[in-house]
Amino acid sequence: MAGLNVSIAFFLLVVSTCEMLRRLSKRLLSPGAYCCLAGEMLLEIGPWGGGFGPDVVFTLLFLLFMVHAASLDGASANPTVSLQEFLLLESGPKATAAKLLAQGVGVGTGWAITKLYWSWELTQLHLIQNLIASECSSSIRTSLYHGAFVEGACSFLFHLVLLRLRRSRAAYRAPALAATVTFLTYAAVMTTGAFFNPALAVATTFACAGSSLQDYVQVYWLGPLAGMLAALLLHQGNIPRLFQRNLLYGQKSKYKIPKARLAHTEGGEERRKGKGEKSDPAPRA
């Protein structure tokens, strides 16, 4: 329990530091370019958290993403989110390139800080993690095509929820996104590690033995990218940056055509009644 308390304290310190840096840099950087260490606590908990049971690990994961979604002003450590904004015409090429660079540097910095934190060996679990980290193995525990499909499916569902809720209030968006990420991680963690984040995968598993660089690119880059594109196409019907034509949904006319009113005649027959037509004034027997 002491190790868990130390980890939670470290998590709160990281969140506080990121929030302070966000406020200081808000006038200089766009919200999506902040170097957020959102995945840091997950990397620290994952390898040794089994000692507390999966309920504790996934509860902490849910809380982590809740805090991230609610406090970091739209910042994202996921390159596919930045590419989605670019394809939606919400971000220009220069801003997108800056975001991608910042996300790569941010995740790499977070991984370096995490390893430094482990090296202090504040708990016995950190000592065990230091021994394991030197001989890490690939997170791909299935075939390449299945792994790419799993990462793509996770990315597809995540981006579909993100697109659906991107204009919703933070009070609804934050728990929905946190629950989605927690569920997807629970469902796919034993297959590919459930990263669906190219930058996070590069920092944590690309250097591990067991798979080639081509394998990692196929599973952790092409899979999430394909999932994001599929979610965007399904939600929008098109990809605004590439083409404007809606391929899936029909376009509604801007002008409403008034429906003709129906009037019952004396013999029970129906006839259409125009706008200026008057009813028959003849008296009935």
Side-chain angles (χ1 to χ4, degrees):
M1 194 66 184
L4 182 61
N5 293 334
V6 171
S7 298
I8 292 176
F10 178 65
F11 163 65
L12 295 176
L13 176 63
V14 169
V15 171
S16 301
T17 303
C18 290
E19 180 67 12
M20 181 181 65
L21 293 176
R22 182 189 70 82
R23 292 180 179 276
L24 291 175
S25 62
K26 191 171 183 179
R27 296 183 179 181
L28 301 177
L29 300 175
S30 62
Y34 306 140
C35 296
C36 173
L37 306 181
E40 183 174 349
M41 194 61 182
L42 173 61
L43 298 177
E44 198 274 336
I45 288 179
W48 55 265
F52 297 106
D55 53 341
V56 176
V57 176
F58 289 111
T59 299
L60 290 175
L61 178 64
F62 175 81
L63 295 176
L64 164 65
F65 280 95
M66 271 285 293
V67 173
H68 172 263
S71 66
L72 293 181
D73 196 22
S76 173
N78 193 333
T80 59
V81 175
S82 298
L83 291 176
Q84 174 185 283
E85 295 172 353
F86 173 73
L87 294 175
L88 285 171
L89 303 177
E90 296 178 352
S91 179
K94 293 183 179 179
T96 302
K99 292 176 184 179
L100 295 177
L101 178 62
Q103 287 162 352
V105 174
V107 173
T109 303
W111 179 237
I113 293 176
T114 301
K115 291 194 293 185
L116 176 63
Y117 169 58
W118 285 338
S119 68
W120 295 342
E121 298 181 359
L122 300 179
T123 69
Q124 184 178 1
L125 296 171
H126 292 169
L127 174 61
I128 297 174
Q129 177 57 35
N130 285 333
L131 298 175
I132 296 175
S134 60
E135 298 180 358
C136 66
S137 58
S138 173
S139 298
I140 304 175
R141 303 180 183 90
T142 183
S143 66
L144 293 181
Y145 293 109
H146 185 223
F149 173 79
V150 170
E151 287 290 308
C154 290
S155 179
F156 171 78
L157 294 174
F158 168 73
H159 282 279
L160 201 59
V161 174
L162 182 63
L163 287 166
R164 182 65 180 84
L165 300 175
R166 63 193 179 112
R167 302 198 184 281
S168 302
R169 295 181 179 180
Y172 304 107
R173 184 175 63 252
L177 289 175
T180 300
V181 172
T182 304
F183 169 75
L184 293 175
T185 303
Y186 173 79
V189 68
M190 299 305 296
T191 305
T192 61
F195 292 104
F196 51 97
N197 182 334
L200 188 59
V202 169
T204 57
T205 194
F206 269 44
C208 295
S211 299
S212 65
L213 177 61
Q214 182 179 357
D215 296 340
Y216 287 131
V217 169
Q218 178 179 333
V219 174
Y220 295 116
W221 285 10
L222 299 184
L225 181 60
M228 181 271 290
L229 292 175
L232 182 58
L233 186 60
L234 179 62
H235 183 267
Q236 295 286 121
N238 67 341
I239 299 179
R241 178 69 65 175
L242 303 180
F243 51 86
Q244 295 295 327
R245 182 181 177 184
N246 197 311
L247 302 179
L248 299 181
Y249 311 112
Q251 299 291 334
K252 295 182 179 180
S253 175
K254 297 181 180 179
Y255 306 99
K256 294 183 178 180
I257 301 176
K259 297 181 179 179
R261 292 175 296 176
L262 297 178
H264 292 276
T265 61
E266 185 176 1
E269 297 178 357
E270 292 183 0
R271 61 186 179 85
R272 294 188 179 278
K273 188 175 181 182
K275 183 177 180 181
E277 185 179 353
K278 297 182 180 180
S279 61
D280 188 2
R284 297 185 181 182

